[in-house]
């Protein structure tokens, strides 16, 4: 499909206007020199979608539009204490006068830092379930939402219905934006690196890249899950997007992506020495900030992949997905 056709395809889905687009596509020459990469390295600054920004802005533009249109009167999201998604949801909630409830799998902190501090400043409603895993948290969130429903309210629980594939549409927008910038700003690259988490952001990027017949190859650096599990998640999420739009990708996603799980160390939020090095190196060469959970890990993986010539690239781009506030809870 052409970019115009892809644009028309996703234009049928409601969307709010929140972020500042296009986010910059910058050459990061100092960092590139520092890691000894002879080619051109770019960064897509999706850390600058809004304040504090990140990938969640693009997701929430679709989800909040859907929630508002459904006449819901409460937006509910189950997430960790330092969730970027939770904080951006609370920000949109304040902007659109839409009450938000965050359900955390942690105890209330004795001292508010990072995203939790921003949530506290906004006075967002929160339920703290204590130290439980993400699957138990999801079950408990369902129970809480059912109780709220039984009281006559109309809660919108993120994750229910079509909210996840809708959320991914924001990253089809990002791919269209990137392709447009590459042409207008004469910046070309063949490889895009991005972090691999729950798969919502990546599914949108994959779907956009697949519809446009692969303007670049995707390198997904897992921060949490093993390769096979992440691949299963991504296949499922892309299929959900295909079901929503009615348009299937012309080729299997395996041809569009390479997944790396060897840089995730001990898993989600467990940093490695290389993550810390990446955070310092990017800050000291470019004045750009990464954090330990997603972006630092992805950049450390990208560095190894380029330095060890696992990928023979002459040009590449890193998709900076944000997460700035959580940095303040990590050191
Ligand atoms: C800063 C940042 N980068 C990347 C991701 C990964 O996105 P996804 O969960 O859609 O895979 C997240 C998710 O929370 C995030 O906050």
């Amino acid at each position: 499909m052409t970019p115009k056709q892809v644009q028309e395809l996703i234009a049928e889905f409601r969307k709010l206007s929140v972020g500042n687009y296009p986010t910059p596509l910058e050459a990061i020459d100092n960092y590139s020199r520092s890691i000894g990469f002879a080619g051109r390295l770019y960064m897509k600054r999706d850390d600058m979608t809004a304040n504090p920004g990140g990938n969640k802005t693009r997701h929430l533009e679709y989800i909040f539009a859907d929630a508002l249109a459904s006449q819901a009167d409460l937006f509910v999201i189950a997430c960790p204490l330092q969730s970027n998604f939770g904080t951006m949801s609370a920000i949109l909630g304040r902007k659109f006068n839409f009450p938000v409830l965050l359900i955390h799998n942690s105890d209330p902190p004795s001292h508010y830092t990072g995203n939790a501090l921003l949530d506290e400043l906004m006075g967002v409603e929160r339920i703290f379930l204590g130290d439980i895993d993400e699957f138990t948290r999801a079950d408990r969130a369902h129970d809480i939402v059912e109780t709220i429903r039984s009281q006559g309210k109309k809660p919108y629980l993120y994750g229910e219905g079509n909210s996840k594939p809708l959320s991914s549409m924001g990253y089809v927008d990002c791919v269209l934006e990137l392709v447009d910038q590459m042409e207008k700003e004469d910046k070309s690259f063949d490889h895009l690196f991005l972090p691999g988490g729950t798969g919502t952001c990546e599914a949108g990027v994959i779907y956009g890249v697949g519809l446009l017949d692969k303007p670049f190859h995707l390198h997904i650096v897992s921060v949490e899950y093993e390769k096979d599990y992440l691949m299963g998640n991504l296949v499922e999420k892309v299929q959900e997007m295909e079901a929503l739009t009615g348009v299937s990708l012309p080729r299997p996603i395996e041809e569009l992506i390479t997944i790396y799980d060897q840089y995730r160390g001990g898993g989600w939020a467990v940093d490695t020495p290389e993550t810390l090095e990446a955070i310092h190196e990017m800050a000291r060469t470019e004045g750009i900030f990464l954090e330990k959970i997603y972006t630092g890990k992805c950049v450390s993986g990208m560095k190894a992949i380029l330095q060890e010539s696992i990928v023979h690239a002459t040009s590449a781009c890193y998709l900076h997905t944000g997460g700035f506030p959580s940095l303040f809870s990590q050191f």
Side-chain angles (χ1 to χ4, degrees):
M1 288 174 104
T2 63
K4 189 165 178 286
Q5 287 168 325
V6 176
Q7 184 69 64
E8 283 165 6
L9 178 72
I10 60 167
E12 70 176 270
F13 300 100
R14 265 186 223 97
K15 176 183 162 188
L16 297 175
S17 172
V18 177
N20 305 306
Y21 306 121
T23 58
L25 176 61
E26 296 175 358
I28 45 170
D29 294 339
N30 296 335
Y31 177 76
S32 194
R33 259 193 305 278
S34 175
I35 66 167
F37 180 61
R40 202 84 207 262
L41 200 49
Y42 294 99
M43 187 186 282
K44 174 67 172 162
R45 300 291 308 268
D46 260 20
D47 53 325
M48 294 170 70
T49 51
N51 182 12
N55 56 352
K56 307 310 176 198
T57 312
R58 293 194 194 262
H59 296 316
L60 283 161
E61 287 172 345
Y62 284 90
I63 306 167
F64 258 63
D66 189 48
L68 289 167
S70 73
Q71 309 292 324
D73 52 17
L74 180 69
F75 184 83
V76 185
I77 180 161
C79 54
L81 180 69
Q82 285 299 334
S83 168
N84 298 311
F85 218 150
T87 299
M88 274 314 293
S89 302
I91 290 172
L92 265 74
R94 287 298 177 227
K95 185 173 167 60
F96 294 99
N97 295 313
F98 190 9
V100 168
L101 168 65
L102 306 181
I103 301 178
H104 292 312
N105 49 333
S106 68
D107 292 316
S110 53
H111 179 62
Y112 286 89
T113 57
N115 279 307
L117 173 63
L118 302 183
D119 300 339
E120 176 73 4
L121 291 175
M122 287 183 281
V124 64
E125 193 188 346
R126 282 161 293 181
I127 293 177
F128 295 94
L129 296 175
D131 188 14
I132 52 173
D133 65 38
E134 61 185 300
F135 304 103
T136 316
R137 181 188 70 200
D139 291 342
R140 296 279 305 276
H142 270 104
D143 295 344
I144 291 169
V145 162
E146 280 318 312
T147 307
I148 296 172
R149 260 188 206 123
S150 70
Q151 293 161 351
K153 292 196 76 153
K154 272 199 80 185
Y156 182 103
L157 176 62
Y158 175 66
E160 279 189 341
N162 282 332
S163 60
K164 285 204 169 164
L166 272 177
S167 176
S168 297
M169 289 302 166
Y171 270 84
V172 179
D173 286 328
C174 179
V175 171
L176 284 169
E177 196 177 293
L178 256 179
V179 169
D180 190 53
Q181 283 175 305
M182 288 167 81
E183 193 188 318
K184 288 193 181 135
E185 299 173 21
D186 197 18
K187 293 170 178 165
S188 73
F189 57 85
D190 300 322
H191 304 271
L192 181 73
F193 288 83
L194 66 160
T198 64
T200 308
C201 171
E202 303 89 282
V205 177
I206 295 168
Y207 192 58
V209 162
L211 289 177
L212 291 174
D213 206 19
K214 201 177 172 186
F216 35 77
H217 189 78
L218 299 174
H219 300 272
I220 299 177
V221 180
S222 176
V223 301
E224 181 170 12
Y225 301 117
E226 280 178 14
K227 207 188 240 181
D228 291 349
Y229 184 83
L230 180 55
M231 180 58 98
N233 261 351
L234 295 176
V235 168
E236 196 180 300
K237 284 185 176 352
V238 170
Q239 282 169 350
E240 284 169 5
M241 295 185 79
E242 291 174 332
L244 200 61
T245 61
V247 176
S248 299
L249 291 185
R251 46 170 132 185
I253 78 166
E254 288 81 355
E255 288 180 21
L256 306 172
I257 68 175
T258 307
I259 298 179
Y260 306 85
D261 62 5
Q262 63 269 48
Y263 307 107
R264 69 199 160 105
W268 193 80
V270 185
D271 55 297
T272 61
E274 293 79 14
T275 320
L276 280 173
E277 187 189 296
I279 293 172
H280 284 111
E281 194 169 16
M282 191 62 81
R284 288 170 192 193
T285 55
E286 297 285 347
I288 294 175
F289 302 104
L290 308 173
E291 46 66 63
K292 289 186 183 177
I293 305 175
Y294 299 99
T295 54
K297 223 172 238 183
C298 181
V299 167
S300 74
M302 176 176 78
K303 175 177 173 176
I305 291 162
L306 293 175
Q307 281 186 334
E308 292 163 28
S309 297
I310 296 172
V311 172
H312 296 281
T314 52
S315 56
C317 179
Y318 166 64
L319 174 60
H320 192 329
T321 48
F324 186 57
S326 66
L327 182 62
F328 295 97
S329 66
Q330 297 176 347
F331 284 87

